[in-house]
Amino acid sequence: MTRRSFPMSKVYGLLEPGPVVLLTTSHKAIANVMTMSWHTMMEFEPPLVGCIVSQNNFSFTALKVTRQCVLNVPTTELASKVVGCGNTSGRRVDKFEAFGLTPVPAAMVAPPLIAECYANLECRVVDTRLMNRYDFFVLEVIKAWVDPARKDPRTLHHRGRGAFMVAGNTIRLPSNMK
Amino acid sequence: MTRRSFPMSKVYGLLEPGPVVLLTTSHKAIANVMTMSWHTMMEFEPPLVGCIVSQNNFSFTALKVTRQCVLNVPTTELASKVVGCGNTSGRRVDKFEAFGLTPVPAAMVAPPLIAECYANLECRVVDTRLMNRYDFFVLEVIKAWVDPARKDPRTLHHRGRGAFMVAGNTIRLPSNMK
């Protein structure tokens, strides 16, 4: 795929519809992947993203210590890999190898991009005030990449217990909302 | 429609896929509606929801002062009303009247449910530590209602500038993820 730099001002449109993302971290030379659905935009520019990474997840310590991650947005072709990453722990499994995901070096952070994902957001942690109480991190997106050929990507949206809504058609309405 | 009480333990499945919601507040005897896409689940049970309500929105003061709201989940039939609520301000417009939305008394909070929405979550504000810096509120869902007849609701998912992805089909995969 072609991967192009993507403007910060448009990042919100990638995460606002609520896609499952694959969060990559890198700690002590081990890169890991976590499936995550609990995230929200918090600011347009620079783009801020709030997300929950549970203390039970192997990624928690990596994110807490290194303060870096990448949010990779998969589409429906990757559904089985997304579930595979959600069903396993980086404590025991090299998920890149186990699920055939290809790490690609990022520009600004240590964790890798996932080549198979149509968008990749390089992030740093900017606020941990709600980390101890809620496992909530505030991320700033510092570099974004997207495959410009994918106009209406068929993202996955978790409904719980293995049920995923697949993105349907996009409609356009006369809106003043950003 | 039939409106049934919905178990707290399943609330996350309503918000996790990222639907646009209509947030209702009530302050000084004025009920208002705001269109909102920036929210995330934060805990399963009791269900906690983090959301951004900008200080620029009329709803901000109502939420800050009364610490109560309802998250109403609309489906695609309501798209024009959702955009209408997003294009106008409660400072000048009675949105229930302007867009033909029907207020229904809630069980636990003062703001009304919206009758036309397939799910309604009565909430109280439980944490405002990130309110001043990010306009971020942590809500606890204290009562949930859903139309049990709607299995795969065609929710709306904002992609920015009037573009909404409409929920597509739901697929089911063997997942251990809650």
Side-chain angles (χ1 to χ4, degrees), chain B residues 40-88:
Chain B
T40 179
M41 289 305 303
M42 295 181 70
E43 185 53 271
F44 288 105
E45 197 173 2
L48 298 181
V49 181
C51 66
I52 301 281
V53 176
S54 167
Q55 291 183 40
N56 299 325
N57 291 122
F58 186 58
S59 302
F60 178 86
T61 302
L63 190 57
K64 179 180 175 180
V65 172
T66 69
R67 300 178 73 91
Q68 294 187 342
C69 66
V70 179
L71 304 178
N72 304 273
V73 189
T75 42
T76 184
E77 306 80 39
L78 301 177
S80 66
K81 297 173 193 283
V82 167
V83 171
C85 286
N87 284 347
T88 52

Side-chain angles (χ1 to χ4, degrees), chain A residues 16-17 38-42 87 127 134 157-158 161-162 164-166 168-171 173-174 176 178, chain B residues 16-17 38-42 87 127 134 157-158 161-162 164-166 168-174 176 178:
Chain A
E16 200 166 319
W38 288 12
H39 59 79
T40 179
M41 289 304 302
M42 295 181 70
N87 283 348
D127 197 317
Y134 302 106
H157 299 254
H158 195 227
R161 307 268 177 211
F164 290 87
M165 178 270 282
V166 180
N169 295 327
T170 293
I171 59 175
L173 294 163
N176 299 329
K178 190 173 183 183
Chain B
E16 200 167 320
W38 288 12
H39 59 77
T40 179
M41 289 305 303
M42 295 181 70
N87 284 347
D127 196 316
Y134 301 106
H157 300 255
H158 194 228
R161 306 270 177 210
F164 291 87
M165 178 272 281
V166 180
N169 295 327
T170 294
I171 58 175
R172 290 181 168 80
L173 294 162
N176 299 329
K178 190 174 183 183

Side-chain angles (χ1 to χ4, degrees), chain B residues 26-155:
Chain B
S26 181
H27 183 38
K28 295 182 178 174
I30 297 177
N32 189 31
V33 190
M34 179 188 134
T35 300
M36 181 176 79
S37 280
W38 288 12
H39 59 77
T40 179
M41 289 305 303
M42 295 181 70
E43 185 53 271
F44 288 105
E45 197 173 2
L48 298 181
V49 181
C51 66
I52 301 281
V53 176
S54 167
Q55 291 183 40
N56 299 325
N57 291 122
F58 186 58
S59 302
F60 178 86
T61 302
L63 190 57
K64 179 180 175 180
V65 172
T66 69
R67 300 178 73 91
Q68 294 187 342
C69 66
V70 179
L71 304 178
N72 304 273
V73 189
T75 42
T76 184
E77 306 80 39
L78 301 177
S80 66
K81 297 173 193 283
V82 167
V83 171
C85 286
N87 284 347
T88 52
S89 171
R91 287 185 190 89
R92 286 174 296 277
V93 175
D94 176 340
K95 301 195 198 180
F96 285 94
E97 190 174 307
F99 302 111
L101 296 169
T102 311
V104 176
M108 314 274 283
V109 297
L113 316 180
I114 296 177
E116 289 79 8
C117 290
Y118 95 97
N120 316 86
L121 307 176
E122 302 184 23
C123 300
R124 62 188 184 95
V125 174
V126 292
D127 196 316
T128 55
R129 273 182 284 171
L130 298 191
M131 183 184 73
N132 289 335
R133 174 71 184 84
Y134 301 106
D135 302 343
F136 184 79
F137 295 83
V138 181
L139 312 175
E140 179 184 341
V141 180
I142 54 176
K143 180 71 190 169
W145 305 94
V146 75
D147 177 355
R150 307 281 282 275
K151 291 304 180 200
D152 288 325
R154 300 279 156 173
T155 46

Side-chain angles (χ1 to χ4, degrees), chain A residues 82-155:
Chain A
V82 167
V83 171
C85 287
N87 283 348
T88 52
S89 171
R91 286 184 190 89
R92 287 175 295 277
V93 175
D94 176 339
K95 301 195 197 180
F96 286 94
E97 190 175 306
F99 302 111
L101 296 169
T102 310
V104 175
M108 313 275 283
V109 298
L113 316 180
I114 296 176
E116 289 78 8
C117 290
Y118 95 98
N120 316 87
L121 308 175
E122 303 184 23
C123 300
R124 63 190 183 92
V125 174
V126 293
D127 197 317
T128 55
R129 273 182 283 171
L130 298 192
M131 183 184 74
N132 289 334
R133 174 69 184 83
Y134 302 106
D135 302 343
F136 184 78
F137 295 83
V138 181
L139 311 175
E140 179 185 342
V141 180
I142 54 177
K143 181 71 191 168
W145 305 94
V146 75
D147 177 355
R150 308 280 282 274
K151 291 304 179 199
D152 288 327
R154 299 279 157 175
T155 46

